[in-house]
Amino acid sequence: MAILLSTYNGAPFLAEQLDSLIAQTHRSWTIYASDDGSSDETLDILAAYQKRLGEQSLVIIAGPRKGFSANFLSLLKRPEVEADYFAYCDQDDLWEADKLERALNWCLTIAPDTPSLYCTRTRLIDSSGAPIGLSPLFSAPPSFRNALVQSLAGGNTMLFNQATRRLLTKTDENDRIISHDWWTYLVVAGCNGAIHYDATPSIGYRQHGSNLIGSNTGVSERLTRIRKMLTGTFKDWNDANIHALIPLQQDLSPQSRKTLELFVQARNSPMLKRLSLILRAGLYRQTLLGNLGLTAAAILQRL
């Protein structure tokens, strides 16, 4: 199993995260740490753990310096990263000891030639590691109709197989990927993959001032995301995702191609037709508030 660790100036919490990886009940893994140009002690910490674990268990790589999503996806394209299963790993979380074991137990039930994706809810922790809550519990089924308008789970909870990796490597490195986790969900869902969202948290997702993307919990955070939807940010994200799907058109299932076609058509249609096409496409978000925001975005042409 390959643990894909993205680092950038992560010294304050990196050692704790590495210790939680070492404590996994599933012990057959290699950490591939791609550092995106750290100027703090991150590389020193990685070197110390590499000396402890051995170069076969912790491989340190120079990242592309194009942001966290590009850093993660660059690891998937590196030929030296060899494994049957892959787990994204942030530098500042704390993994539950059975995280990999639980994920792998599910993934092993899926045929190797079927793209698979396991992801979970998260336990929120503060900068000291103390619990402060849980991420939202989603109950609607994962699907491409959801993935087109919403990311389901954090990449820090995800495990996927070689079939998913092969699809993700088709991503054009010049395309703007908004978030590697949303992109992974989009690709697996669109290509008729198997997706399991586990309601039991698998990590402590650390909330602190340096988070690039925080949790989606609480009314204020959800309202912030809806404001982004209504002010044009969401439309910009959809532009990027739709363009990035072009190299994968032939891999999408017939139903996904039809859904995407309706979505693209809706985004460029007058309001009444736009709403009709959105209904035909069956697009949905995971919460009532999210769906109300989606409807407002459709009316205001912010999709």
Side-chain angles (χ1 to χ4, degrees):
M1 181 180 298
I3 298 174
L4 309 179
L5 171 62
S6 172
T7 62
Y8 177 72
N9 289 343
F13 307 111
L14 179 57
E16 285 186 86
Q17 172 65 308
L18 290 169
D19 287 341
S20 76
L21 305 188
I22 294 169
Q24 289 296 298
T25 54
H26 177 81
R27 300 187 179 279
S28 180
W29 44 257
T30 298
I31 301 168
Y32 294 91
S34 181
D35 186 76
D36 229 19
S38 294
S39 57
D40 64 358
E41 295 78 29
T42 293
L43 286 170
D44 293 334
I45 295 170
L46 289 173
Y49 275 82
Q50 186 183 59
K51 184 176 181 181
R52 171 182 168 186
L53 297 172
E55 294 184 359
Q56 299 303 311
S57 294
L58 201 170
V59 180
I60 303 172
I61 297 166
R65 302 193 181 196
K66 295 181 179 179
F68 67 96
S69 290
N71 197 17
F72 277 115
L73 294 175
S74 71
L75 277 166
L76 292 173
K77 293 190 176 186
R78 299 190 72 101
E80 67 268 36
V81 179
E82 297 181 358
D84 293 324
Y85 297 94
F86 306 84
Y88 294 133
C89 179
D90 290 351
Q91 64 190 1
D92 49 4
D93 299 325
L94 290 174
W95 283 14
E96 302 292 344
D98 64 348
K99 177 187 190 296
L100 292 179
E101 182 178 1
R102 283 168 46 200
L104 187 60
N105 284 343
W106 177 81
C107 283
L108 288 172
T109 67
I110 307 302
D113 58 348
T114 299
S116 66
L117 174 64
Y118 172 94
C119 55
T120 79
R121 196 180 189 189
T122 60
R123 179 172 53 86
L124 307 178
I125 59 176
D126 64 17
S127 58
S128 69
I132 56 174
L134 296 169
S135 66
L137 177 60
F138 294 144
S139 58
S143 73
F144 189 61
R145 293 176 293 117
N146 176 228
L148 275 174
V149 293
Q150 182 180 24
S151 181
L152 180 67
N156 49 8
T157 72
M158 290 180 170
L159 185 87
F160 51 90
N161 64 2
Q162 182 65 248
T164 294
R165 188 254 184 106
R166 284 194 293 269
L167 289 171
L168 292 171
T169 58
K170 296 184 179 184
T171 306
D172 190 322
E173 63 183 25
N174 294 315
D175 278 336
R176 183 166 61 99
I177 301 302
I178 303 303
S179 181
H180 62 288
D181 43 20
W182 189 4
W183 179 239
T184 302
Y185 178 35
L186 259 174
V187 169
V188 177
C191 298
N192 206 29
I195 302 171
H196 179 59
Y197 171 80
D198 191 337
T200 303
S202 62
I203 68 163
Y205 182 16
R206 201 183 301 264
Q207 306 296 295
H208 56 85
S210 300
N211 279 82
L212 290 176
I213 297 180
S215 69
N216 181 22
T217 185
V219 174
S220 63
E221 288 83 0
R222 295 186 194 184
L223 288 174
T224 295
R225 291 173 187 247
I226 289 175
R227 278 196 295 272
K228 288 182 178 179
M229 187 183 296
L230 299 181
T231 57
T233 301
F234 186 56
K235 187 175 189 297
D236 178 59
W237 290 350
N238 285 332
D239 286 340
N241 285 340
I242 290 169
H243 188 270
L245 283 169
I246 292 173
L248 288 159
Q249 287 280 347
Q250 297 306 311
D251 296 290
L252 295 177
S253 69
Q255 182 58 56
S256 294
R257 285 197 294 271
K258 181 62 176 178
T259 300
L260 180 60
E261 177 185 326
L262 290 171
F263 183 45
V264 170
Q265 187 179 352
R267 298 176 80 229
N268 299 293
S269 296
M271 186 178 69
L272 291 180
K273 185 175 182 181
R274 183 162 64 247
L275 293 173
S276 173
L277 289 168
I278 291 297
L279 286 173
R280 283 180 58 193
L283 304 180
Y284 64 91
R285 290 173 64 88
Q286 288 286 334
T287 65
L288 174 60
L289 187 59
N291 280 315
L292 290 173
L294 180 64
T295 301
I299 292 171
L300 298 172
Q301 205 167 8
R302 295 293 188 269
L303 292 178

